[in-house]
Amino acid sequence: MFIPIDSLEDVEKFKVVKEQLYDINGRDVPGAFTIRREDTEVHFGTVGPRYVPIQLDDMLSILNVATDRIDGLEYDSYTVVGNGKRVVLKSVLTEGIAMGDDKLDGLIYTVIDNTGAGSNKIIPSTVRIYCDNAFHLIEKRSADTIRHSRGFATSVDDIVKRVVADVDTIQRFPRTMERLHDTKFTKNQMSKYSQMLVPVEEDESAQRGNKREELVRLFSEGRGNAGETAWDAFNAVTEYESSSKRKSPEKLVRQLMGGAFSRQAFNSLKQMLKWS
């Protein structure tokens, strides 16, 4: 899925163009423009007059500056989704994070969006080394987005600040790990937690019941889990999400844009534990 790189110079380059949209009679469609990839002419989306394409080269140049200014962050790989609708870059923190023997890799994903329907995003993430479970540390804050506007040309320092903030988010995550690890959690609680995540419905499908059962099973039988703490409960969810479905660039982008099951599960667990 991801193509390894030694530097951003190794990323596949292409340009995106914005052009007037015409109707079938060749007349201008007022206020409507098409966004397309220049080399393949693949249409990515329709935008208004204020939308400004952010060229891949420009974004990569700014990210290069950000990486040079931040110690311990290296670009690892990239993937292209939908013929170039989105390009996702993966960076890694050279120094991992740990809670005893339980270790995580810190990652930062940069989503470059060419669809006209979204902003570019910089998103911190973690991967639990025991089982390759991923958890995207998505927060609903404006600093996560880089808008397609004329102000982009002056945003180098702002992007650097965002990357620094995301590195800090990853480095602070062990506090959450420890708090979850220190919170006792029973199998009965796990059963209730699974019902919060997958509510019981009248005449529900067998698939829903199987999902709850699998979450409860992973609480004690998942890799690195002992079935004793809230950390085990949360990792049951991340293992289910990370390993039970086909991994694809499209699925990753959906998760990075905020649709991850583990994100919902994390918020539900905090609610269950009455955390502020």
Side-chain angles (χ1 to χ4, degrees):
M1 182 172 72
F2 274 84
I3 302 168
I5 57 175
D6 293 321
S7 74
L8 294 182
E9 292 299 317
D10 298 331
V11 176
E12 175 190 358
K13 308 295 195 307
F14 59 86
K15 288 188 176 182
V16 174
V17 294
K18 171 185 172 184
E19 296 179 335
Q20 177 66 51
L21 195 63
Y22 301 96
D23 63 20
I24 58 173
N25 297 313
R27 293 176 297 202
D28 291 6
V29 178
F33 298 82
T34 178
I35 292 293
R36 65 174 177 84
R37 180 168 167 165
E38 188 177 53
D39 55 349
T40 63
E41 299 190 352
V42 173
H43 170 75
F44 289 157
T46 302
V47 299
R50 297 178 64 183
Y51 181 89
V52 176
I54 298 178
Q55 297 302 338
L56 190 55
D57 263 344
D58 293 336
M59 189 69 188
L60 295 180
S61 295
I62 290 179
L63 291 173
N64 247 334
V65 173
T67 308
D68 288 343
R69 294 186 191 177
I70 300 170
D71 293 332
L73 184 65
E74 295 181 353
Y75 285 101
D76 173 82
S77 53
Y78 80 100
T79 189
V80 177
V81 179
N83 296 313
K85 284 186 175 182
R86 295 183 179 92
V87 177
V88 183
L89 298 168
K90 181 167 69 174
S91 314
V92 299
L93 271 62
T94 54
E95 184 174 339
I97 53 181
M99 179 184 62
D101 293 333
D102 206 346
K103 295 179 172 58
L104 303 180
D105 280 334
L107 309 175
I108 289 181
Y109 290 97
T110 302
V111 181
I112 301 172
D113 190 299
N114 296 312
T115 65
S119 302
N120 294 356
K121 294 183 180 294
I122 299 173
I123 299 164
S125 182
T126 61
V127 171
R128 192 184 187 200
I129 296 175
Y130 264 136
C131 44
D132 201 31
N133 293 354
F135 176 46
H136 308 310
L137 306 175
I138 300 167
E139 298 177 9
K140 291 185 177 180
R141 53 190 172 95
S142 59
D144 284 335
T145 62
I146 304 163
R147 301 194 180 282
H148 290 253
S149 67
R150 300 189 186 282
F152 170 75
T154 61
S155 61
V156 178
D157 288 338
D158 190 34
I159 291 174
V160 172
K161 290 177 183 176
R162 295 174 193 186
V163 176
V164 169
D166 286 337
V167 169
D168 182 62
T169 297
I170 293 170
Q171 292 173 336
R172 285 187 285 106
F173 188 63
R175 301 176 196 173
T176 301
M177 290 173 61
E178 290 177 6
R179 192 174 180 186
L180 290 171
H181 188 269
D182 292 342
T183 302
K184 296 298 182 183
F185 209 80
T186 66
K187 187 173 181 179
N188 184 52
Q189 284 177 298
M190 186 65 204
S191 180
K192 292 179 180 178
Y193 181 41
S194 72
Q195 291 178 34
M196 287 179 67
L197 301 178
V198 188
V200 178
E201 297 179 348
E202 187 177 354
D203 299 324
E204 68 178 11
S205 67
Q207 184 179 17
R208 291 180 67 84
N210 292 340
K211 186 172 183 178
R212 289 192 295 270
E213 290 178 6
E214 180 65 2
L215 289 171
V216 173
R217 185 189 71 80
L218 290 171
F219 171 58
S220 57
E221 298 180 26
R223 297 181 65 185
N225 286 353
E228 297 175 352
T229 69
W231 180 239
D232 294 328
F234 181 60
N235 278 292
V237 176
T238 56
E239 182 167 349
Y240 180 88
E241 181 174 59
S242 297
S243 63
S244 66
K245 298 179 181 179
R246 181 175 64 90
K247 294 182 180 180
S248 67
E250 290 79 8
K251 180 193 171 191
L252 174 64
V253 166
R254 286 196 299 273
Q255 291 181 344
L256 292 175
M257 303 308 266
F261 179 52
S262 56
R263 184 76 247 168
Q264 171 201 343
F266 184 60
N267 290 332
S268 296
L269 185 58
K270 289 195 296 183
Q271 177 185 343
M272 186 176 182
L273 298 174
K274 295 181 170 55
W275 286 9
S276 57

